[in-house]
Amino acid sequence: MNSNIGERIKTLRLAKNLTQQELAKALGCGKATVAAWENNQTESLRTKHLIRLALFFSVRTDYLLGLCT
């Protein structure tokens, strides 16, 4: 899978049939924040949210960052 962090987040979200709003609620952030991540505006992606994403989707942070497959 050759994709960036935004594509990975979106793919994982859609695989769980979640809206951006539902994912945002689960992570404790806003829908606009999730939309920004999915559009690769990752300056708003804090470490705590990266960890929450990894735990929520049962993936490694390395996977989300594109460091492994």
Side-chain angles (χ1 to χ4, degrees):
M1 180 178 196
N2 187 14
S3 61
N4 56 46
I5 190 169
E7 290 171 344
R8 288 174 187 234
I9 293 169
K10 184 174 183 177
T11 298
L12 291 166
R13 177 179 62 78
L14 293 175
K16 286 196 171 241
N17 295 313
L18 295 172
T19 65
Q20 289 179 339
Q21 182 67 40
E22 291 167 331
L23 179 58
K25 185 175 181 180
L27 298 176
C29 62
K31 177 189 175 287
T33 300
V34 172
W37 297 339
E38 290 185 2
N39 287 306
N40 290 305
Q41 298 168 355
T42 54
E43 58 276 355
S44 65
L45 183 56
R46 296 184 177 141
T47 302
K48 71 178 183 177
H49 289 127
L50 182 64
I51 293 167
R52 286 179 186 168
L53 281 164
L55 291 171
F56 183 82
F57 290 119
S58 299
V59 298
R60 295 176 48 157
T61 56
D62 290 355
Y63 170 77
L64 291 171
L65 295 170
L67 300 175
C68 67
T69 56

